[in-house]
Amino acid sequence: MNRICTLFKIKYPIIQGGMVWCSGWRLASAVSNAGGLGLLGAGSMHPETLREHIQKCKSATNKPFGVNVPLMYPDIDQLMQIIVEEKVPIIFTSAGNPKTWTSYLKSNGISVAHVVSSSKFASKCEEAGVDAIVAEGFEAGGHNGREETTTLCLIPAVRRVTTLPLLAAGGIGTGEAIMAAMALGADGVQIGTRFALSEESSAHLNFKQLALNLNEGDTKLLLKKLSPTRLINSKFSTLIEEAESRGASTEELRELLGRGRAKKGIFEGNLEEGELEIGQVSSLFRKIESVDEIMRDLIEGYHLIRQKIQDDRLFPPA
Ligand SMILES: Cc1cc2nc3c(=O)[nH]c(=O)nc-3n(C[C@H](O)[C@H](O)[C@H](O)COP(=O)(O)O)c2cc1C
């Protein structure tokens, strides 16, 4: 039995990553109903908004779902209290130190996974006592590691330092990529970009349409001095890029970024002024699909490629 499926009590080892302005109760419940694990993205919610989404998610699915909490969240105590009160069974923490909250959450019966971008931080997760690790490579949408380690290099490196259940993230959007991630040592996958562009995602239609017309090279990892973020090339990203290439200070960049940019871009669909976060893998997709269609395609794609690879004519034995 797959360790991720056993840990989270789900049918397929496919996690829908928590995503600011995309993953509310509609997306999370649709993924959980389809046999994966849906995560509410608390990073863009006020604490009481999160409570509302948790309650709506509970009415929309009787399957397990979880919450993603970026640990730099300002009202984090309040957020964690709501998660405990509402008896959410699973939490995925990111962007911070896994030691801060893991034992508190586990003592409340919550399973904890933490997102890392290096094997060094994967070891810290083990010390912190998490139940699973998400290793997220450079290709991924959203905030990212500074070292630019690709998923292809990161997964085997993390597998070497830990025996914990491992989820691969970054650049995974097809059944073939799931197969590749499992071959590298992952027990399952976390997918963001493809679900961000689904029918059930709360991202603005302008954002989805733009992201579904990208080619390779149309996103870049910027804002390394603040928090490295993969952005679609746009008027706003060009401003940031120019500032960075003339050596702008952290303060200057912070001012340029201002507040609410991700909301403006992803949720309000302002393609010029907003921060447009999406992964490299977006260039493979051209239309808005329902979560059910995506899940079916992922599972069928996985089994087709698995059969094809088993054919020795494609790669003769030694
Ligand atoms: C629009 C967007 C917003 C994201 N927001 C978050 C977030 O709030 N917290 C988090 O841990 N990861 C966030 N991520 C990362 C995803 O959870 C996931 O790990 C990543 O998208 C996987 O790589 P992929 O985009 O190649 O599928 C975001 C990704 C995208 C595309």
Side-chain angles (χ1 to χ4, degrees), residues 144-158:
N144 211 305
R146 279 201 168 70
E147 296 97 345
E148 307 199 349
T149 310
T150 60
T151 304
L152 198 69
C153 295
L154 181 65
I155 303 309
V158 170

Side-chain angles (χ1 to χ4, degrees), residues 15-23 39-44 68-72 92-95 115 134-144 151 168-173 190-197 201 203 207 229-230 262 266 275-282 285:
I15 316 300
Q16 162 255 306
M19 292 177 285
V20 288
W21 306 112
C22 298
S23 62
L39 299 181
L40 297 169
S44 51
N68 163 246
V69 179
L71 293 173
M72 78 276 200
F92 276 48
T93 52
S94 54
V115 184
V134 181
E136 189 190 60
F138 170 72
E139 301 90 328
H143 293 241
N144 211 305
T151 304
I172 299 166
Q190 170 164 298
I191 294 178
T193 291
R194 194 165 180 192
F195 286 125
L197 306 177
S201 152
F207 171 78
T229 314
R230 180 167 296 286
I266 302 170
E275 209 185 8
L276 306 167
E277 300 179 15
I278 207 72
Q280 288 187 335
V281 79
S282 55
F285 306 108

Side-chain angles (χ1 to χ4, degrees), residues 54-302:
I54 293 172
Q55 291 174 351
K56 286 186 171 156
C57 208
K58 281 181 189 166
S59 347
T61 183
N62 54 14
K63 304 262 169 50
F65 68 90
V67 177
N68 163 246
V69 179
L71 293 173
M72 78 276 200
Y73 189 95
D75 297 318
I76 195 144
D77 294 351
Q78 228 181 318
L79 208 66
M80 292 301 193
Q81 198 187 329
I82 288 174
I83 289 169
V84 171
E85 278 168 17
E86 292 292 332
K87 299 190 169 34
V88 176
I90 299 159
I91 184 162
F92 276 48
T93 52
S94 54
N97 185 345
K99 280 201 179 128
T100 325
W101 285 96
T102 299
S103 51
Y104 169 77
L105 293 166
K106 293 202 61 168
S107 68
N108 279 284
I110 300 174
S111 300
V112 182
H114 187 76
V115 184
V116 302
S117 57
S118 70
S119 52
K120 185 174 133 200
F121 283 102
S123 302
K124 289 199 192 302
C125 285
E126 265 216 20
E127 289 162 25
V130 305
D131 299 290
I133 294 175
V134 181
E136 189 190 60
F138 170 72
E139 301 90 328
H143 293 241
N144 211 305
R146 279 201 168 70
E147 296 97 345
E148 307 199 349
T149 310
T150 60
T151 304
L152 198 69
C153 295
L154 181 65
I155 303 309
V158 170
R159 183 78 294 168
R160 282 187 184 189
V161 300
T162 178
T163 55
L164 281 174
L166 174 61
L167 290 155
I172 299 166
T174 62
E176 290 91 332
I178 297 179
M179 176 86 208
M182 308 285 270
L184 293 172
D187 300 287
V189 296
Q190 170 164 298
I191 294 178
T193 291
R194 194 165 180 192
F195 286 125
L197 306 177
S198 70
E199 245 164 64
E200 290 86 344
S201 152
S202 54
H204 196 281
L205 189 60
N206 292 352
F207 171 78
K208 291 183 192 173
Q209 282 171 341
L210 177 73
L212 288 165
N213 276 295
L214 299 179
N215 293 310
E216 300 129 61
D218 285 345
T219 68
K220 251 190 218 98
L221 190 68
L222 296 171
L223 293 166
K224 274 188 154 189
K225 275 189 185 164
L226 297 181
S227 168
T229 314
R230 180 167 296 286
L231 297 177
I232 299 177
N233 296 339
S234 68
K235 190 174 158 197
F236 170 68
S237 80
T238 307
L239 267 180
I240 296 284
E241 221 181 331
E242 281 168 4
E244 288 183 333
S245 59
R246 65 177 149 75
S249 66
T250 313
E251 281 59 46
E252 247 181 286
L253 289 169
R254 195 165 285 134
E255 207 163 299
L256 200 55
L257 181 61
R259 289 180 63 80
R261 287 271 183 191
K263 179 179 187 188
K264 200 178 259 183
I266 302 170
F267 193 65
E268 294 170 358
N270 184 334
L271 304 181
E272 292 207 338
E273 306 294 329
E275 209 185 8
L276 306 167
E277 300 179 15
I278 207 72
Q280 288 187 335
V281 79
S282 55
S283 69
L284 294 186
F285 306 108
R286 289 291 174 256
K287 63 177 204 300
I288 296 175
E289 301 162 290
S290 70
V291 162
D292 277 347
E293 286 170 320
I294 294 174
M295 287 292 286
R296 209 173 313 122
D297 181 62
L298 291 172
I299 295 153
E300 285 175 6
Y302 172 86

